[in-house]
Amino acid sequence: MSPPMMDEPTTSPAAAPAPVAKTATMPHTTSVPVNGHTKPQTVEDMAGAWKDFRFAPIRESQVSRAMTRRYFADLDKYAESDIVIIGAGSCGLSTAYCLAKARPDLKIAIIEAGVAPGGGAWLGGQLFSAMVMRKPADAFLRELGVEYEDDGPDANFVVVKHAALFTSTVLSKVLQFPNVKLFNATAVEDLITRTDGKGGIRVAGVVTNWTLVSMHHDDQSCMDPNTLNAPLIVSTTGHDGPFGAFSVKRLVSMQAIPSLGGMRGLDMNTAEDAIVKGTREICPGLIVGGMELSEVDGANRMGPTFGAMALSGVKAAEEALKVFDQRRAECAEGGKW
């Protein structure tokens, strides 16, 4: 958005009216308070009246209660979720967008270890701000309404002027869905599992803790975690790192899968196709997408091109919807799990 334009002054400074930003005269019709009980004041009402401006009086405890009451209500509501997405990077957010749009009846919880959702997609590669997406991932940009530059029908990629434009757009759309809750600064420490009586397991939820607690288990007293049950988990924690590839590494330690293939070197031409095509349910109840998948399959990394992350999220949502009803039935009382 361009800076507010100022009215041009007249030739006589004495007669010139005070400059007024155009934002002060634009109609305000896009924001409606939720459960509002009074007529909201507009920005236009405040313009030019700052001398007598006052915020509504408040007691500090009101702020605390307003936050904590809602947060703990969300914890209670989403303790039994339909789908939990681990990781709010490009893949996880794209998954959440597609799932919430397709199934507004589902309760979808997103668990993000960082304070700021978005993973590594706030910038392009090496702190360069532009985001490159190879075609046909531009279809997802059009779905979101994100503008991009296209050099024409012969070009094999498009460019979003700043990666943060993509990330903030998909994040804001996801958070506007009434059936989605994001728990950030929260780490997944383990997976809830069930046995099938034959030595196999299925994933039935996640074990969570504050990220700062998870980071200090080795040097502080133990703090037991919390849990969220769900018949289906979508893990998009990224490639190996402090919190990356968590779910698939845990599957190995539980002997649910034999080993990890380990991410291979950078090869954009093979990597992006492999990640999208390989997005799937790794074991019953756990779908893996994005760069976490590269650690399972031994896929190449793709570097600073983001189309595979977005479309892996689209495919993860598709895979989730294929198996969700079956996994929910299996988790129900009296099911075989």
Side-chain angles (χ1 to χ4, degrees), residues 94-138:
S94 299
T95 303
Y97 172 84
C98 293
L99 282 174
K101 181 181 178 182
R103 290 288 299 271
D105 58 308
L106 299 182
K107 287 192 294 184
I108 301 167
I110 309 173
I111 310 297
E112 167 56 41
V115 172
W122 287 109
L123 287 167
Q126 199 171 319
L127 303 183
F128 304 145
S129 57
M131 172 179 274
V132 175
M133 282 198 177
R134 290 169 61 198
K135 295 178 178 179
D138 53 322

Side-chain angles (χ1 to χ4, degrees), residues 296-310:
V296 181
D297 294 344
N300 295 88
R301 65 186 298 176
M302 73 276 303
T305 175
F306 292 85
M309 297 299 96

